[in-house]
Amino acid sequence: MWSEIAQRFPLLQQLFSRRAPVGDGRRPEGGPSKGTVITICILISTLLWFTFTLQETYTATLDLPVRVANVPPDQALAVPPPRSVRVQLRGEGYPLVQLYFNPPTITLDARQDVVDLTTLDLNLPRGVVVESVVPQV
């Protein structure tokens, strides 16, 4: 079984096939140092931890920027809209991390007198649900 694994993954064969003589304390010529093996193991375990952690469901609160569109040229806004809207989202970790680093912009239509933010389509990734929006109107 080891020979089949070693043929498929030559790096593993290099890491674990060379052994130092018993009692010598030195690593064999050309073999990996103990620190290299420990570093590779830590990197692999960190990658696995992130992978499994980001599959869980989380709740995140994001401040999404607001943009006003369709302002008629002969009119102006009586009250400026807020610069951002606080949105509480629930979903898996990976899409929430994507939204954290690349938040969508909320576009408000200036032709409407009142905009209900709870009914806006934010183009969120699949599996992400809006739990609350502040302000709602």
Side-chain angles (χ1 to χ4, degrees):
M1 180 170 150
W2 170 249
S3 60
E4 293 174 15
I5 295 172
Q7 288 175 354
R8 290 185 184 183
F9 302 103
L11 178 63
L12 290 177
Q13 183 179 12
Q14 289 177 358
L15 287 175
F16 298 110
S17 65
R18 297 186 179 119
R19 305 219 187 278
V22 176
D24 190 352
R26 293 181 299 163
R27 67 183 178 98
E29 190 63 36
S33 67
K34 197 176 203 180
T36 304
V37 174
I38 290 172
T39 302
I40 290 172
C41 290
I42 289 173
L43 289 174
I44 290 172
S45 64
T46 303
L47 179 68
L48 288 172
W49 178 78
F50 273 122
T51 301
F52 290 117
T53 300
L54 291 178
Q55 290 178 356
E56 295 178 14
T57 301
Y58 294 97
T59 300
T61 303
L62 300 177
D63 289 329
L64 303 181
V66 175
R67 182 177 68 91
V68 179
N70 300 324
V71 178
D74 59 339
Q75 294 181 356
L77 297 173
V79 178
R83 291 180 180 248
S84 64
V85 173
R86 184 162 291 205
V87 179
Q88 186 171 350
L89 304 169
R90 183 175 36 88
E92 286 189 1
Y94 185 69
L96 290 178
V97 169
Q98 286 178 329
L99 288 172
Y100 179 77
F101 287 110
N102 189 17
T105 301
I106 296 176
T107 303
L108 302 177
D109 190 0
R111 293 177 293 188
Q112 298 176 353
D113 291 335
V114 177
V115 179
D116 185 9
L117 295 176
T118 58
T119 61
L120 284 179
D121 182 26
L122 298 176
N123 293 329
L124 297 173
R126 192 176 78 200
V128 176
V129 178
V130 176
E131 289 186 337
S132 68
V133 178
V134 176
Q136 293 182 354
V137 179

